Short mmCIF file of all heavy atoms in Angstrom, two decimals:
data_model
loop_
_atom_site.label_atom_id
_atom_site.label_comp_id
_atom_site.label_asym_id
_atom_site.label_seq_id
_atom_site.Cartn_x
_atom_site.Cartn_y
_atom_site.Cartn_z
N ARG A 113 29.80 44.74 -17.37
CA ARG A 113 29.97 45.11 -15.97
C ARG A 113 28.74 45.85 -15.47
O ARG A 113 28.32 45.67 -14.34
CB ARG A 113 31.17 46.04 -15.82
CG ARG A 113 32.49 45.37 -15.93
CD ARG A 113 33.61 46.41 -15.81
NE ARG A 113 34.92 45.77 -15.77
CZ ARG A 113 35.55 45.25 -16.81
NH1 ARG A 113 35.00 45.34 -17.99
NH2 ARG A 113 36.72 44.67 -16.69
N LYS A 114 28.15 46.70 -16.33
CA LYS A 114 27.01 47.50 -15.87
C LYS A 114 25.71 46.78 -16.21
O LYS A 114 24.95 47.22 -17.06
CB LYS A 114 27.00 48.85 -16.60
CG LYS A 114 28.16 49.71 -16.25
CD LYS A 114 27.92 51.12 -16.76
CE LYS A 114 29.11 51.97 -16.46
NZ LYS A 114 28.94 53.31 -16.93
N SER A 117 19.84 44.11 -12.59
CA SER A 117 19.72 43.06 -11.59
C SER A 117 19.10 41.81 -12.20
O SER A 117 19.37 40.69 -11.77
CB SER A 117 18.88 43.55 -10.40
OG SER A 117 17.67 44.07 -10.87
N SER A 120 22.21 40.02 -13.81
CA SER A 120 23.09 39.33 -12.87
C SER A 120 22.35 38.15 -12.24
O SER A 120 22.94 37.11 -11.98
CB SER A 120 23.59 40.30 -11.81
OG SER A 120 22.53 40.77 -11.03
N GLY A 121 21.04 38.33 -12.07
CA GLY A 121 20.26 37.22 -11.53
C GLY A 121 20.30 36.02 -12.46
O GLY A 121 20.48 34.87 -12.04
N ASP A 125 21.82 32.36 -11.72
CA ASP A 125 21.01 31.14 -11.80
C ASP A 125 21.56 30.15 -12.81
O ASP A 125 21.56 28.94 -12.59
CB ASP A 125 19.57 31.52 -12.14
CG ASP A 125 18.89 32.22 -10.98
OD1 ASP A 125 19.32 32.00 -9.83
OD2 ASP A 125 17.93 32.98 -11.22
N GLN A 175 37.20 44.58 -5.06
CA GLN A 175 36.02 44.09 -4.34
C GLN A 175 35.82 42.59 -4.49
O GLN A 175 35.06 41.99 -3.75
CB GLN A 175 34.73 44.77 -4.83
CG GLN A 175 34.64 46.25 -4.55
CD GLN A 175 35.27 47.05 -5.67
OE1 GLN A 175 36.14 46.56 -6.37
NE2 GLN A 175 34.80 48.26 -5.82
N ARG A 249 15.32 42.81 -23.08
CA ARG A 249 14.25 43.70 -23.53
C ARG A 249 14.76 44.57 -24.66
O ARG A 249 15.85 45.13 -24.57
CB ARG A 249 13.81 44.57 -22.37
CG ARG A 249 13.12 43.72 -21.31
CD ARG A 249 11.99 44.49 -20.72
NE ARG A 249 12.51 45.51 -19.83
CZ ARG A 249 12.20 45.58 -18.55
NH1 ARG A 249 11.39 44.70 -18.03
NH2 ARG A 249 12.68 46.54 -17.81
N ASP A 252 16.07 48.10 -23.94
CA ASP A 252 17.24 48.37 -23.10
C ASP A 252 18.54 48.33 -23.88
O ASP A 252 18.85 47.33 -24.52
CB ASP A 252 17.31 47.33 -21.96
CG ASP A 252 16.13 47.45 -21.02
OD1 ASP A 252 15.40 48.44 -21.13
OD2 ASP A 252 15.97 46.55 -20.18
N GLN A 293 20.69 28.26 0.02
CA GLN A 293 19.42 28.50 0.70
C GLN A 293 18.38 27.56 0.15
O GLN A 293 18.48 27.12 -0.98
CB GLN A 293 18.97 29.93 0.44
CG GLN A 293 19.99 30.94 0.88
CD GLN A 293 19.67 32.29 0.30
OE1 GLN A 293 19.12 32.37 -0.77
NE2 GLN A 293 20.02 33.34 1.02
N GLY A 294 17.39 27.28 0.88
CA GLY A 294 16.33 26.38 0.40
C GLY A 294 15.59 25.88 1.62
O GLY A 294 16.09 25.94 2.73
N PRO A 296 14.30 23.69 4.45
CA PRO A 296 14.80 22.45 5.08
C PRO A 296 13.89 21.28 4.69
O PRO A 296 12.70 21.49 4.44
CB PRO A 296 14.72 22.74 6.58
CG PRO A 296 13.88 23.94 6.71
CD PRO A 296 13.86 24.67 5.42
N ASP A 317 7.89 40.66 -11.84
CA ASP A 317 7.69 42.05 -11.45
C ASP A 317 6.32 42.29 -10.82
O ASP A 317 5.68 43.30 -11.09
CB ASP A 317 7.76 42.96 -12.70
CG ASP A 317 9.21 43.22 -13.08
OD1 ASP A 317 10.10 42.88 -12.28
OD2 ASP A 317 9.42 43.76 -14.17
N THR A 319 3.59 43.28 -7.99
CA THR A 319 3.47 43.99 -6.72
C THR A 319 2.64 43.12 -5.78
O THR A 319 2.00 42.17 -6.20
CB THR A 319 2.74 45.32 -6.89
OG1 THR A 319 1.41 45.06 -7.32
CG2 THR A 319 3.45 46.20 -7.90
N VAL A 320 2.64 43.50 -4.52
CA VAL A 320 1.87 42.74 -3.53
C VAL A 320 0.39 42.75 -3.92
O VAL A 320 -0.32 41.74 -3.77
CB VAL A 320 2.08 43.34 -2.14
CG1 VAL A 320 1.12 42.76 -1.14
CG2 VAL A 320 3.51 43.11 -1.70
N ASP A 321 -0.06 43.90 -4.45
CA ASP A 321 -1.46 43.96 -4.88
C ASP A 321 -1.75 42.94 -5.97
O ASP A 321 -2.75 42.22 -5.94
CB ASP A 321 -1.78 45.36 -5.45
CG ASP A 321 -1.69 46.42 -4.38
OD1 ASP A 321 -2.70 46.62 -3.69
OD2 ASP A 321 -0.61 47.01 -4.23
N ASN A 322 -0.83 42.88 -6.96
CA ASN A 322 -1.01 41.94 -8.06
C ASN A 322 -1.15 40.52 -7.53
O ASN A 322 -2.02 39.77 -7.92
CB ASN A 322 0.20 41.98 -9.01
CG ASN A 322 0.32 43.31 -9.72
OD1 ASN A 322 -0.62 44.08 -9.74
ND2 ASN A 322 1.46 43.58 -10.28
N ALA A 331 -3.64 41.08 1.52
CA ALA A 331 -2.30 41.64 1.40
C ALA A 331 -1.43 41.16 2.54
O ALA A 331 -0.26 40.83 2.36
CB ALA A 331 -2.38 43.17 1.40
N ALA A 332 -2.01 41.09 3.73
CA ALA A 332 -1.23 40.65 4.88
C ALA A 332 -0.73 39.23 4.68
O ALA A 332 0.43 38.90 4.99
CB ALA A 332 -2.07 40.74 6.15
N LEU A 335 2.14 39.26 2.25
CA LEU A 335 3.36 39.76 2.88
C LEU A 335 3.99 38.69 3.75
O LEU A 335 5.20 38.51 3.77
CB LEU A 335 3.04 40.99 3.72
CG LEU A 335 2.81 42.25 2.90
CD1 LEU A 335 2.17 43.33 3.73
CD2 LEU A 335 4.14 42.75 2.36
N ARG A 336 3.14 37.98 4.45
CA ARG A 336 3.61 36.91 5.31
C ARG A 336 4.38 35.88 4.48
O ARG A 336 5.49 35.47 4.82
CB ARG A 336 2.38 36.23 5.92
CG ARG A 336 2.62 35.58 7.26
CD ARG A 336 1.38 34.88 7.74
NE ARG A 336 0.19 35.70 7.68
CZ ARG A 336 -1.01 35.24 7.32
NH1 ARG A 336 -1.16 33.99 6.94
NH2 ARG A 336 -2.06 36.04 7.30
N GLY A 339 7.60 37.20 3.17
CA GLY A 339 8.61 37.29 4.22
C GLY A 339 9.36 35.98 4.34
O GLY A 339 10.60 35.94 4.40
N VAL A 340 8.61 34.89 4.32
CA VAL A 340 9.24 33.57 4.44
C VAL A 340 10.01 33.21 3.17
O VAL A 340 11.17 32.82 3.21
CB VAL A 340 8.16 32.49 4.71
CG1 VAL A 340 8.80 31.13 4.75
CG2 VAL A 340 7.45 32.79 6.01
N SER A 342 11.22 34.99 0.85
CA SER A 342 12.43 35.77 0.58
C SER A 342 13.54 35.35 1.53
O SER A 342 14.71 35.34 1.17
CB SER A 342 12.16 37.27 0.71
OG SER A 342 11.79 37.59 2.02
N ALA A 343 13.16 34.96 2.74
CA ALA A 343 14.18 34.51 3.67
C ALA A 343 14.85 33.24 3.16
O ALA A 343 16.05 33.03 3.34
CB ALA A 343 13.56 34.26 5.04
N TYR A 344 14.07 32.38 2.52
CA TYR A 344 14.63 31.14 1.98
C TYR A 344 15.17 31.31 0.58
O TYR A 344 15.59 30.35 -0.04
CB TYR A 344 13.56 30.04 1.99
CG TYR A 344 13.27 29.52 3.36
CD1 TYR A 344 12.02 29.70 3.95
CD2 TYR A 344 14.25 28.89 4.11
CE1 TYR A 344 11.76 29.24 5.22
CE2 TYR A 344 14.00 28.43 5.38
CZ TYR A 344 12.75 28.60 5.94
OH TYR A 344 12.49 28.14 7.19
N VAL A 348 12.51 36.67 -4.95
CA VAL A 348 13.45 37.78 -4.87
C VAL A 348 12.80 39.06 -5.38
O VAL A 348 12.00 39.01 -6.30
CB VAL A 348 14.71 37.52 -5.70
CG1 VAL A 348 15.66 36.64 -4.96
CG2 VAL A 348 14.37 36.94 -7.05
N PRO A 349 13.19 40.19 -4.78
CA PRO A 349 12.66 41.45 -5.28
C PRO A 349 13.37 41.83 -6.57
O PRO A 349 14.58 41.72 -6.67
CB PRO A 349 13.01 42.44 -4.17
CG PRO A 349 14.16 41.85 -3.47
CD PRO A 349 14.11 40.37 -3.66
N SER A 350 12.59 42.23 -7.56
CA SER A 350 13.22 42.65 -8.81
C SER A 350 13.37 44.17 -8.83
O SER A 350 14.09 44.72 -9.62
CB SER A 350 12.38 42.18 -10.00
OG SER A 350 11.07 42.72 -9.89
N GLY A 351 12.63 44.83 -7.95
CA GLY A 351 12.69 46.28 -7.87
C GLY A 351 11.88 46.68 -6.66
O GLY A 351 11.30 45.83 -6.01
N PRO A 352 11.82 47.98 -6.37
CA PRO A 352 11.05 48.39 -5.19
C PRO A 352 9.61 47.93 -5.32
O PRO A 352 8.95 48.20 -6.31
CB PRO A 352 11.14 49.92 -5.22
CG PRO A 352 12.22 50.25 -6.15
CD PRO A 352 12.41 49.11 -7.09
N GLY A 353 9.17 47.18 -4.34
CA GLY A 353 7.77 46.77 -4.31
C GLY A 353 7.40 45.68 -5.29
O GLY A 353 6.23 45.33 -5.41
N ARG A 354 8.35 45.15 -6.02
CA ARG A 354 8.02 44.11 -7.01
C ARG A 354 8.79 42.83 -6.77
O ARG A 354 9.97 42.85 -6.43
CB ARG A 354 8.34 44.62 -8.41
CG ARG A 354 7.45 45.78 -8.78
CD ARG A 354 7.66 46.23 -10.19
NE ARG A 354 6.85 47.40 -10.47
CZ ARG A 354 5.56 47.36 -10.80
NH1 ARG A 354 4.96 46.19 -10.92
NH2 ARG A 354 4.89 48.46 -11.02
N TRP A 355 8.12 41.72 -7.02
CA TRP A 355 8.73 40.42 -6.72
C TRP A 355 8.73 39.49 -7.93
O TRP A 355 7.86 39.56 -8.78
CB TRP A 355 7.95 39.74 -5.60
CG TRP A 355 8.01 40.51 -4.34
CD1 TRP A 355 7.22 41.55 -3.98
CD2 TRP A 355 8.93 40.32 -3.28
NE1 TRP A 355 7.58 42.03 -2.77
CE2 TRP A 355 8.63 41.28 -2.30
CE3 TRP A 355 9.98 39.42 -3.06
CZ2 TRP A 355 9.35 41.38 -1.12
CZ3 TRP A 355 10.69 39.52 -1.87
CH2 TRP A 355 10.37 40.49 -0.92
N GLY C 192 -3.90 50.96 -4.96
CA GLY C 192 -2.94 49.87 -4.78
C GLY C 192 -2.12 50.08 -3.52
O GLY C 192 -2.63 50.51 -2.50
N GLN C 193 -0.82 49.79 -3.64
CA GLN C 193 0.12 50.00 -2.53
C GLN C 193 -0.26 49.26 -1.27
O GLN C 193 -0.17 49.79 -0.17
CB GLN C 193 0.28 51.50 -2.20
CG GLN C 193 0.69 52.33 -3.37
CD GLN C 193 2.07 51.96 -3.87
OE1 GLN C 193 2.69 51.02 -3.38
NE2 GLN C 193 2.54 52.67 -4.87
N ALA C 194 -0.69 48.02 -1.45
CA ALA C 194 -1.13 47.25 -0.28
C ALA C 194 -0.03 47.09 0.75
O ALA C 194 -0.27 47.20 1.96
CB ALA C 194 -1.63 45.88 -0.72
N ALA C 195 1.20 46.84 0.28
CA ALA C 195 2.29 46.61 1.23
C ALA C 195 2.57 47.86 2.04
O ALA C 195 2.71 47.82 3.27
CB ALA C 195 3.55 46.17 0.49
N ARG C 198 -0.15 48.59 4.54
CA ARG C 198 -0.07 47.67 5.68
C ARG C 198 1.04 48.15 6.62
O ARG C 198 0.88 48.15 7.84
CB ARG C 198 0.22 46.25 5.17
CG ARG C 198 0.36 45.21 6.24
CD ARG C 198 -0.92 44.93 6.95
NE ARG C 198 -0.74 43.84 7.91
CZ ARG C 198 -1.50 43.62 8.96
NH1 ARG C 198 -2.51 44.43 9.21
NH2 ARG C 198 -1.28 42.61 9.76
N PRO C 341 15.74 53.92 -4.53
CA PRO C 341 16.52 52.68 -4.45
C PRO C 341 17.96 52.82 -4.94
O PRO C 341 18.79 51.96 -4.67
CB PRO C 341 15.73 51.71 -5.33
CG PRO C 341 14.99 52.58 -6.28
CD PRO C 341 14.70 53.85 -5.54
N LEU C 347 16.23 51.95 -10.12
CA LEU C 347 16.68 50.58 -10.03
C LEU C 347 15.48 49.65 -9.94
O LEU C 347 14.61 49.83 -9.11
CB LEU C 347 17.56 50.40 -8.78
CG LEU C 347 18.16 49.01 -8.56
CD1 LEU C 347 19.16 48.71 -9.63
CD2 LEU C 347 18.81 48.94 -7.20
N GLY C 348 15.42 48.67 -10.82
CA GLY C 348 14.34 47.71 -10.74
C GLY C 348 13.01 48.21 -11.23
O GLY C 348 11.99 47.56 -11.06
N PRO C 350 10.03 48.75 -13.75
CA PRO C 350 9.64 47.98 -14.93
C PRO C 350 9.70 48.76 -16.23
O PRO C 350 9.74 48.18 -17.30
CB PRO C 350 8.20 47.56 -14.63
CG PRO C 350 7.74 48.50 -13.58
CD PRO C 350 8.93 48.91 -12.81
N PRO C 358 27.13 49.53 -10.83
CA PRO C 358 27.05 48.77 -9.58
C PRO C 358 27.79 49.46 -8.45
O PRO C 358 27.37 49.43 -7.31
CB PRO C 358 27.72 47.44 -9.94
CG PRO C 358 27.56 47.31 -11.41
CD PRO C 358 27.59 48.71 -11.95
N LEU C 359 28.88 50.13 -8.78
CA LEU C 359 29.65 50.83 -7.76
C LEU C 359 28.82 51.95 -7.13
O LEU C 359 28.80 52.14 -5.92
CB LEU C 359 30.91 51.42 -8.40
CG LEU C 359 32.01 51.80 -7.42
CD1 LEU C 359 32.45 50.58 -6.65
CD2 LEU C 359 33.17 52.43 -8.16
N THR C 381 9.14 48.71 0.55
CA THR C 381 9.44 49.32 -0.74
C THR C 381 8.11 49.65 -1.42
O THR C 381 7.12 48.93 -1.27
CB THR C 381 10.26 48.40 -1.65
OG1 THR C 381 9.62 47.14 -1.74
CG2 THR C 381 11.65 48.22 -1.11
N VAL C 382 8.13 50.72 -2.17
CA VAL C 382 6.91 51.23 -2.79
C VAL C 382 7.08 51.16 -4.30
O VAL C 382 7.93 51.84 -4.85
CB VAL C 382 6.68 52.70 -2.36
CG1 VAL C 382 5.40 53.23 -2.96
CG2 VAL C 382 6.65 52.79 -0.85
N PRO C 383 6.29 50.35 -4.97
CA PRO C 383 6.45 50.23 -6.42
C PRO C 383 5.87 51.44 -7.13
O PRO C 383 4.90 52.04 -6.66
CB PRO C 383 5.65 48.97 -6.76
CG PRO C 383 4.63 48.87 -5.69
CD PRO C 383 5.23 49.46 -4.45
N ARG C 384 6.48 51.75 -8.26
CA ARG C 384 5.90 52.80 -9.09
C ARG C 384 4.96 52.08 -10.03
O ARG C 384 5.39 51.24 -10.82
CB ARG C 384 7.04 53.48 -9.87
CG ARG C 384 6.68 54.83 -10.42
CD ARG C 384 7.94 55.51 -10.93
NE ARG C 384 8.42 54.90 -12.15
CZ ARG C 384 8.23 55.40 -13.35
NH1 ARG C 384 7.57 56.52 -13.50
NH2 ARG C 384 8.72 54.78 -14.41
N LEU C 385 3.67 52.39 -9.91
CA LEU C 385 2.70 51.64 -10.69
C LEU C 385 2.67 52.09 -12.14
O LEU C 385 2.70 53.30 -12.41
CB LEU C 385 1.30 51.79 -10.06
CG LEU C 385 1.20 51.20 -8.65
CD1 LEU C 385 -0.21 51.38 -8.11
CD2 LEU C 385 1.57 49.72 -8.65
N GLU C 389 -1.43 49.24 -14.55
CA GLU C 389 -1.76 48.79 -13.20
C GLU C 389 -2.69 49.76 -12.51
O GLU C 389 -3.60 49.36 -11.79
CB GLU C 389 -0.48 48.62 -12.38
CG GLU C 389 0.32 47.38 -12.77
CD GLU C 389 1.71 47.38 -12.17
OE1 GLU C 389 2.25 48.48 -11.94
OE2 GLU C 389 2.25 46.30 -11.95
N PHE C 393 -6.95 49.36 -11.08
CA PHE C 393 -7.60 49.64 -9.79
C PHE C 393 -8.81 50.52 -9.95
O PHE C 393 -9.52 50.78 -8.99
CB PHE C 393 -6.61 50.34 -8.84
CG PHE C 393 -5.55 49.42 -8.35
CD1 PHE C 393 -4.24 49.56 -8.76
CD2 PHE C 393 -5.85 48.39 -7.48
CE1 PHE C 393 -3.26 48.70 -8.32
CE2 PHE C 393 -4.88 47.53 -7.03
CZ PHE C 393 -3.57 47.68 -7.45
N PHE C 448 11.06 28.67 14.04
CA PHE C 448 11.02 29.41 12.78
C PHE C 448 11.99 30.60 12.84
O PHE C 448 12.80 30.82 11.94
CB PHE C 448 9.59 29.90 12.55
CG PHE C 448 9.44 30.86 11.41
CD1 PHE C 448 9.49 30.43 10.10
CD2 PHE C 448 9.24 32.21 11.65
CE1 PHE C 448 9.35 31.31 9.05
CE2 PHE C 448 9.10 33.10 10.60
CZ PHE C 448 9.15 32.65 9.30
N ASP C 451 15.63 29.61 12.74
CA ASP C 451 16.04 29.17 11.41
C ASP C 451 16.24 30.35 10.48
O ASP C 451 17.27 30.49 9.82
CB ASP C 451 14.95 28.23 10.86
CG ASP C 451 15.32 27.68 9.50
OD1 ASP C 451 16.54 27.58 9.23
OD2 ASP C 451 14.41 27.38 8.72
N VAL C 452 15.25 31.19 10.43
CA VAL C 452 15.28 32.30 9.49
C VAL C 452 16.32 33.34 9.85
O VAL C 452 16.99 33.89 8.97
CB VAL C 452 13.88 32.96 9.46
CG1 VAL C 452 13.95 34.32 8.88
CG2 VAL C 452 12.94 32.09 8.68
N ARG C 455 19.48 32.59 8.25
CA ARG C 455 19.51 32.73 6.79
C ARG C 455 19.62 34.16 6.33
O ARG C 455 20.33 34.46 5.37
CB ARG C 455 18.21 32.16 6.20
CG ARG C 455 18.19 30.70 6.24
CD ARG C 455 16.79 30.17 5.93
NE ARG C 455 16.80 28.75 6.17
CZ ARG C 455 17.29 27.88 5.28
NH1 ARG C 455 17.75 28.31 4.13
NH2 ARG C 455 17.31 26.60 5.56
N VAL C 456 18.89 35.03 6.95
CA VAL C 456 18.93 36.41 6.48
C VAL C 456 19.91 37.24 7.29
O VAL C 456 19.95 38.46 7.16
CB VAL C 456 17.54 37.07 6.53
CG1 VAL C 456 16.57 36.32 5.66
CG2 VAL C 456 17.03 37.15 7.93
N VAL C 485 2.85 32.97 12.14
CA VAL C 485 2.06 33.84 11.26
C VAL C 485 2.49 35.30 11.41
O VAL C 485 2.72 36.00 10.44
CB VAL C 485 0.56 33.68 11.60
CG1 VAL C 485 -0.23 34.84 11.09
CG2 VAL C 485 0.04 32.38 11.04
N ALA C 488 6.32 35.81 10.46
CA ALA C 488 6.56 35.78 9.02
C ALA C 488 6.23 37.11 8.38
O ALA C 488 6.99 37.62 7.55
CB ALA C 488 5.73 34.66 8.37
N GLU C 489 5.11 37.70 8.78
CA GLU C 489 4.78 38.99 8.19
C GLU C 489 5.78 40.05 8.63
O GLU C 489 6.19 40.90 7.84
CB GLU C 489 3.36 39.41 8.55
CG GLU C 489 2.88 40.54 7.65
CD GLU C 489 1.51 41.06 8.02
OE1 GLU C 489 0.77 40.33 8.71
OE2 GLU C 489 1.19 42.18 7.62
N ALA C 492 8.72 40.27 6.52
CA ALA C 492 8.59 40.95 5.23
C ALA C 492 9.02 42.41 5.33
O ALA C 492 9.35 43.03 4.34
CB ALA C 492 7.14 40.85 4.75
N PHE C 493 9.02 42.95 6.54
CA PHE C 493 9.36 44.35 6.71
C PHE C 493 10.75 44.53 7.29
O PHE C 493 11.07 45.59 7.81
CB PHE C 493 8.33 45.04 7.62
CG PHE C 493 6.96 45.10 7.02
CD1 PHE C 493 5.93 44.36 7.58
CD2 PHE C 493 6.70 45.88 5.91
CE1 PHE C 493 4.66 44.39 7.01
CE2 PHE C 493 5.45 45.92 5.35
CZ PHE C 493 4.41 45.18 5.90
N ARG C 494 11.59 43.52 7.19
CA ARG C 494 12.92 43.65 7.77
C ARG C 494 13.79 44.50 6.86
O ARG C 494 13.48 44.73 5.68
CB ARG C 494 13.55 42.28 7.95
CG ARG C 494 13.92 41.62 6.63
CD ARG C 494 14.47 40.24 6.85
NE ARG C 494 14.85 39.64 5.58
CZ ARG C 494 14.01 39.04 4.75
NH1 ARG C 494 12.73 38.97 5.07
NH2 ARG C 494 14.44 38.52 3.62
N GLY C 497 14.99 43.53 3.23
CA GLY C 497 14.26 42.33 2.87
C GLY C 497 13.74 42.36 1.44
O GLY C 497 13.72 41.36 0.76
N ASP C 498 13.31 43.53 1.04
CA ASP C 498 12.73 43.57 -0.30
C ASP C 498 13.44 44.55 -1.20
O ASP C 498 12.83 45.24 -1.99
CB ASP C 498 11.23 43.88 -0.21
CG ASP C 498 10.98 45.12 0.62
OD1 ASP C 498 11.95 45.71 1.14
OD2 ASP C 498 9.81 45.49 0.76
N LEU C 499 14.73 44.62 -1.05
CA LEU C 499 15.48 45.49 -1.94
C LEU C 499 16.29 44.64 -2.90
O LEU C 499 16.94 43.68 -2.50
CB LEU C 499 16.43 46.37 -1.13
CG LEU C 499 15.71 47.48 -0.39
CD1 LEU C 499 16.62 48.12 0.61
CD2 LEU C 499 15.20 48.51 -1.39
N PRO C 500 16.30 45.00 -4.17
CA PRO C 500 17.02 44.19 -5.15
C PRO C 500 18.51 44.45 -5.13
O PRO C 500 19.15 44.45 -6.16
CB PRO C 500 16.40 44.64 -6.48
CG PRO C 500 16.05 46.05 -6.24
CD PRO C 500 15.63 46.14 -4.78
N ARG C 503 22.25 40.19 -4.11
CA ARG C 503 22.01 38.96 -4.86
C ARG C 503 23.08 37.99 -4.45
O ARG C 503 24.19 38.06 -4.89
CB ARG C 503 22.11 39.23 -6.36
CG ARG C 503 20.90 39.89 -6.93
CD ARG C 503 19.71 38.98 -6.86
NE ARG C 503 19.89 37.83 -7.74
CZ ARG C 503 18.87 37.20 -8.36
NH1 ARG C 503 17.68 37.62 -8.19
NH2 ARG C 503 19.08 36.16 -9.12
#
Side-chain angles (χ1 to χ4, degrees):
Chain A
R113 285 178 174 76
K114 294 192 182 179
S117 52
S120 64
D125 290 336
Q175 294 89 334
R249 293 217 285 239
D252 295 349
Q293 302 166 330
D317 280 350
T319 64
V320 170
D321 294 274
N322 294 344
L335 284 166
R336 207 183 311 141
V340 177
S342 63
Y344 287 115
V348 279
S350 58
R354 295 185 183 278
W355 297 84
Chain C
Q193 304 296 4
R198 179 68 176 157
L347 182 66
L359 198 60
T381 52
V382 182
R384 198 169 72 102
L385 297 181
E389 286 168 331
F393 288 110
F448 171 75
D451 182 28
V452 162
R455 287 168 188 280
V456 300
V485 161
E489 196 184 340
F493 294 112
R494 70 183 181 278
D498 52 359
L499 285 168
R503 282 294 294 212

